[in-house]
Amino acid sequence: SIIGDAMTRLARAALILPLLWASLAGQTLTLEDIFQNRAYQLESIRLAGWVDGGAGYITTSQGDDGRQYLRHDVATGEESLLLSASQLVIGGRQVAESIDGMTLSPDEAWALVPTGTVSIWRRSSRAIYYLHHFARAETRPLSNSTDLQQAPAFSPDGQSVAYVLDNNLYVLNLGSGRTRQLTRDGGFRVINGHGDWLYEEEFSLTRAYAWSPDSKSIAFLRFHQWPGLDEPKTYPLVDELQTYPEIFYLPYPKVGEKNSAMRLGVVNVGRGRPRWIDLGPETDIYIPRIGWTGRPGELWFYRLDRRQQNLELITADAKTRRTRVVARQSDPAWVSLTDDLHFIDGGQRFLWTDEKSGYRHIYLRDIDSGAETALTSGDWEVSNIVGVDAGAGQVIFNSKRDGSAQRQVYRTGFDGSGMTRLTPLGGWHTVMPAPDFSYYIHQSNAINTPPTWTLKRADGTVLRLLLDAALPDWGADNLPTWELFNLTTTDGTELRAKILKPPGFDPSRKYPTLIYTYGGPGSQLVVDRFGGGRGRGLWHRYLAQQGYVILTSDNRGTGGRGKAFRNLAYGDLGKWSLHDQIETAKWVGRQSWGIPGRIGIWGWSGGGYLTALALTAGADHFRMGIAIAPVTDFRLYDTAWTERYMGLLTENEAGYDSTDVLSHLDGYRGGLLIVHGTGDDNVHAQNTWQMVAGLVERNAEFDMLMYPNKNHGLPGTHYHLYSRMTRFVKERL
């Protein structure tokens, strides 16, 4: 049914939003409005892909029956309902009150719909999935099992759906309705077709299988957790809100422990018997990506050594299982894993990114001869490849060519010629090209400017403004705005920084300063990107209205400035990050408005670690700090992330000791609020307990806030959390 004219609805939203924010410009922010009433949450467009080869695009919105998917006609702007829960009907009964997502089959005849989704970890979930055929208005379950399914995917021909159930791989044939079980050894120790906890968290790999282009075979990874151990090493997550606490044993390899033993299999969906690919003699490796090249029966995979300093792109013949290394990347610190691998010409050539020049750039390489062409070059970074238009011989990519704090979108030819910037200078830009590259949706924002969405033709001309959330009076005296600048350390290094000053700022007056930090390898907090619509961003503006200066600097080891700058983090995660946060505090002390004795610091996760280190090894420079979910000893963190940046414990024990917050507790002088969720599967609460134990041994005073069963993001606590943080800042700073 036709829902209404898209432009009318979007224009109405664009009129309402400025009125909302105009009222904000003349008032003082409150924690209640930020975190409870969500009074300042901005409207946005939630894009969900393209249809009809680019003739339409899909958005999601909330309807009377929950989430619904809307189709927008590119030519006319007409909006129509594509799918909602009311259409999922079996035997005259609606089978779900709401839907949690939608994936279209390649021919767009079917929709795959999760309902009753249960989150597992950061990126994984289980759900009851339904298949809905649009033309026949027919709905059927993906599986007859009452157990929840994971990671389903249509075959390229749209005739089958693969999925994971109870750690085994299954395939449903849509024509016959027959389901075939492809693996049978899945269980607590063995996972087929889905990433284990480590691969999900550190390699962003959940669906660990890939359909062949001819839809006849599936390549998949098999994870055998705790190989060779009779008793698995797990971390217990304890739910103490029950009368008798329930314990979940989390498979989590800490530094130096064994990772899952890997196998790469290929299974014919008609016969269902896996054949195993030779991964080489070294077994202590990572296989973080798999796929198919496009050449008949040829799959590819990445092989990454335990130190993550050598990455190999390997092809394999699915029948003979013979393998061949076709390209390599190496780095004295670590090789950064990306998803920038695109095969063209039927798998004969591929595009990927490499940092061998010192900056990430795009290369086109022949898979057999190894002949290579650099499509980009220079002392600037390609962030990632957005899309490859093989027909036109062009690649679209995100770039920092115009400044490390910006993200611009460029297009260039396969021979490196005709490089063109598609987006205006300044700010942070994202584009979503149509499948045929005839149109793209452009989202633009800047550090003090909320996003704008525009539909454009391939040549950049504007076809239609979709939503402009511009805020009038954004520069009003009562609403602080961020300023980007470069901060020079005493050794002459320029750090990218941003500062938020109180309304009516007077440099002749004195202001307490709160530094917000993360500082982890490759991260960037100082970017020309809007982040003030909710949560932390508005809390910083709230504090500025209360008379505090808020400051952030990206220390050595962070991203956007080339591999040499980033590699400074290697081997000792605390060395340069703490050094440069101390330099930031010293810079504040040298300003006319700065107060050397009233500088605080706070951060979450990696920023929590850096805050804890600042209040111990750097205690001379910080009056107080708030450390949320901090790592306090990297021996307690997982293998893949830690060893990537610290090296192996057996080879760098001194670096681990230096980085360890617990080894610096004698320097602690007070002023710490430490916060953790007891259900944190990522940074275990053990880190906080061990720091607390060390502080208690020293009879040191500190404040602590624990959230029962809450994970790393502390969901559902933010009004309570930020209220407590606010009181702590006002009391201690």
Side-chain angles (χ1 to χ4, degrees):
S1 62
I2 302 300
I3 300 301
D5 182 79
M7 293 311 299
T8 301
R9 293 180 59 170
L10 292 171
R12 187 182 302 123
L15 287 173
I16 293 171
L17 290 171
L19 294 176
L20 175 69
W21 280 87
S23 66
L24 170 61
Q27 70 181 51
T28 299
L29 296 167
T30 68
L31 297 177
E32 289 77 12
D33 278 345
I34 295 171
F35 295 104
Q36 282 191 314
N37 305 329
R38 302 177 72 83
Y40 311 125
Q41 185 171 359
L42 291 172
E43 183 69 26
S44 66
I45 294 179
R46 293 177 286 275
L47 298 168
W50 295 86
V51 289
D52 303 326
Y57 63 92
I58 305 171
T59 65
T60 68
S61 68
Q62 287 297 117
D64 294 337
D65 54 354
R67 182 188 297 186
Q68 58 186 11
Y69 286 79
L70 306 173
R71 182 193 185 278
H72 303 261
D73 188 271
V74 167
T76 66
E78 183 179 69
E79 178 185 275
S80 57
L81 179 65
L82 183 63
L83 185 69
S84 70
S86 62
Q87 295 168 256
L88 302 184
V89 177
I90 299 178
R93 180 179 65 88
Q94 184 175 323
V95 296
E97 293 183 359
S98 63
I99 60 178
D100 303 324
M102 181 190 72
T103 301
L104 296 178
S105 60
D107 60 3
E108 299 175 1
W110 291 89
L112 183 61
V113 185
T115 65
T117 300
V118 177
S119 294
I120 306 173
W121 308 122
R122 188 191 299 263
R123 300 175 178 88
S124 59
S125 61
R126 295 188 180 96
I128 294 295
Y129 283 84
Y130 291 94
L131 287 152
H132 180 77
H133 193 280
F134 291 105
R136 299 199 296 261
E138 169 191 317
T139 300
R140 65 169 76 168
L142 173 62
S143 170
N144 292 324
S145 172
T146 57
D147 292 335
L148 304 183
Q149 303 103 49
Q150 290 177 271
F154 285 104
S155 59
D157 63 8
Q159 300 303 304
S160 300
V161 181
Y163 60 94
V164 175
L165 176 65
D166 296 331
N167 289 339
N168 281 308
L169 193 58
Y170 292 76
V171 168
L172 167 68
N173 184 285
L174 293 173
S176 67
R178 180 183 177 185
T179 297
R180 181 182 293 275
Q181 184 173 349
L182 303 182
T183 65
R184 297 186 178 276
D185 60 349
F188 186 54
R189 285 204 172 200
V190 174
I191 305 172
N192 292 290
H194 197 282
D196 65 3
W197 183 92
L198 187 75
Y199 272 64
E200 174 184 337
E201 178 66 29
E202 304 305 354
F203 296 124
S204 302
L205 183 71
T206 50
R207 182 186 297 123
Y209 68 86
W211 280 97
S212 63
D214 62 7
S215 301
K216 294 180 180 179
S217 300
I218 293 176
F220 70 98
L221 290 174
R222 177 185 184 272
F223 298 79
H224 181 198
Q225 302 183 101
W226 316 286
L229 296 180
D230 293 333
E231 293 294 329
K233 293 184 177 182
T234 58
Y235 184 84
L237 296 174
V238 183
D239 178 3
E240 299 198 65
L241 299 184
Q242 308 297 322
T243 303
Y244 289 94
E246 295 182 7
I247 303 175
F248 178 83
Y249 294 96
L250 169 66
Y252 185 109
K254 293 180 182 287
V255 165
E257 298 290 349
K258 287 187 176 181
N259 292 320
S260 292
M262 305 301 300
R263 298 185 80 181
L264 171 58
V266 179
V267 58
N268 183 290
V269 297
R271 293 189 292 271
R273 186 179 180 86
R275 297 166 62 87
W276 302 104
I277 302 299
D278 181 9
L279 299 180
E282 177 58 58
T283 58
D284 196 6
I285 57 174
Y286 297 106
I287 309 293
R289 296 288 185 271
I290 61 173
W292 298 81
T293 66
R295 301 202 292 192
E298 185 177 74
L299 61 145
W300 67 267
F301 61 94
Y302 280 146
R303 182 169 63 197
L304 187 63
D305 68 312
R306 176 75 180 241
R307 294 176 181 83
Q308 301 177 62
Q309 294 173 329
N310 297 285
L311 180 143
E312 297 170 308
L313 173 60
I314 300 174
T315 59
D317 186 292
K319 291 183 178 179
T320 67
R321 291 171 283 179
R322 286 196 296 267
T323 62
R324 180 169 68 100
V325 178
V326 298
R328 292 181 171 88
Q329 295 185 17
S330 62
D331 191 274
W334 72 90
V335 175
S336 299
L337 180 70
T338 75
D339 289 310
D340 291 332
L341 180 63
H342 299 262
F343 286 92
I344 61 172
D345 301 337
Q348 185 59 42
R349 296 193 294 169
F350 62 88
L351 289 149
W352 73 345
T353 58
D354 193 342
E355 293 183 293
K356 60 186 176 182
S357 71
Y359 294 85
R360 181 167 300 282
H361 285 293
I362 304 172
Y363 298 87
L364 176 61
R365 189 180 180 98
D366 187 275
I367 200 168
D368 289 328
S369 69
E372 186 177 79
T373 301
L375 275 59
T376 62
S377 62
D379 294 346
W380 51 273
E381 289 189 354
V382 168
S383 301
N384 65 288
I385 294 175
V386 175
V388 176
D389 184 354
Q394 295 181 329
V395 57
I396 298 173
F397 60 95
N398 290 323
S399 164
K400 294 187 175 296
R401 188 183 186 192
D402 303 294
S404 63
Q406 301 181 32
R407 187 170 78 178
Q408 305 297 336
V409 184
Y410 276 80
R411 177 174 56 211
T412 192
F414 284 176
D415 60 357
S417 66
M419 184 179 294
T420 304
R421 192 179 69 247
L422 302 179
T423 49
L425 285 173
W428 196 266
H429 302 271
T430 302
V431 301
M432 185 176 76
D436 63 358
F437 293 90
S438 56
Y439 302 98
Y440 62 89
I441 294 174
H442 174 206
Q443 192 231 66
S444 173
N445 66 94
I447 194 167
N448 295 310
T449 307
T452 295
W453 285 266
T454 309
L455 178 63
K456 295 183 177 181
R457 295 184 176 88
D459 62 5
T461 58
V462 175
L463 181 64
R464 189 173 303 116
L465 175 66
L466 303 181
L467 178 64
D468 183 356
L471 307 180
D473 300 324
W474 185 242
D477 290 341
N478 200 42
L479 194 60
T481 56
W482 286 102
E483 302 171 27
L484 294 167
F485 70 105
N486 289 334
L487 183 157
T488 303
T489 66
T490 54
D491 63 7
T493 299
E494 281 195 345
L495 304 179
R496 308 293 184 252
K498 62 180 181 180
I499 192 168
L500 193 65
K501 299 174 181 176
F505 178 80
D506 181 352
S508 66
R509 292 178 54 193
K510 296 293 185 180
Y511 297 88
T513 300
L514 182 64
I515 295 171
Y516 171 63
T517 188
Y518 181 78
S523 64
Q524 275 189 277
L525 291 181
V526 182
V527 290
D528 194 6
R529 182 181 188 180
F530 184 73
R534 61 182 182 182
R536 184 184 65 238
L538 281 177
W539 185 66
H540 283 152
R541 288 189 166 94
Y542 164 84
L543 289 179
Q545 286 186 337
Q546 302 292 311
Y548 296 90
V549 169
I550 311 299
L551 180 62
T552 291
S553 67
D554 280 340
N555 49 255
R556 275 166 273 201
T558 56
R561 301 179 63 178
K563 199 63 167 72
F565 190 84
R566 203 178 333 148
N567 280 2
L568 291 171
Y570 186 71
D572 188 335
L573 288 167
K575 177 182 177 181
W576 286 110
S577 57
L578 178 60
H579 176 278
D580 286 347
Q581 296 307 319
I582 290 174
E583 286 285 327
T584 301
K586 289 179 178 179
W587 179 88
V588 170
R590 294 194 299 269
Q591 307 309 302
S592 61
W593 48 265
I595 312 173
R598 295 185 65 187
I599 300 170
I601 186 170
W602 87 279
W604 201 309
S605 190
Y609 158 71
L610 190 46
T611 297
L613 192 64
L615 264 65
T616 53
D620 289 344
H621 306 278
F622 302 96
R623 182 170 182 171
M624 54 75 66
I626 303 172
I628 303 178
V631 177
T632 59
D633 181 352
F634 278 100
R635 295 173 180 84
L636 305 178
Y637 201 49
D638 72 58
T639 52
W641 193 94
T642 310
E643 293 169 359
R644 181 186 307 149
Y645 305 121
M646 288 292 296
L648 303 185
L649 178 59
T650 55
E651 300 171 352
N652 185 29
E653 191 168 353
Y656 278 84
D657 288 341
S658 175
T659 300
D660 183 2
V661 173
L662 304 180
S663 67
H664 298 289
L665 291 182
D666 286 341
Y668 177 72
R669 297 183 181 180
L672 173 67
L673 169 61
I674 191 167
V675 182
H676 225 121
T678 66
D680 193 333
D681 61 286
N682 180 9
V683 179
H684 301 154
Q686 172 188 38
N687 286 271
T688 284
W689 295 129
Q690 293 202 11
M691 184 171 183
V692 164
L695 293 175
V696 170
E697 285 179 6
R698 291 161 175 81
N699 199 33
E701 293 187 2
F702 60 92
D703 288 74
M704 183 173 67
L705 184 58
M706 303 298 288
Y707 287 102
N709 298 344
K710 294 302 182 180
N711 65 24
H712 197 57
L714 301 177
T717 71
H718 285 195
Y719 176 62
H720 184 275
L721 170 63
Y722 280 91
S723 296
R724 181 68 188 95
M725 290 167 60
T726 300
R727 291 196 301 273
F728 193 78
V729 169
K730 291 183 176 180
E731 291 167 0
R732 300 301 184 102
L733 190 60

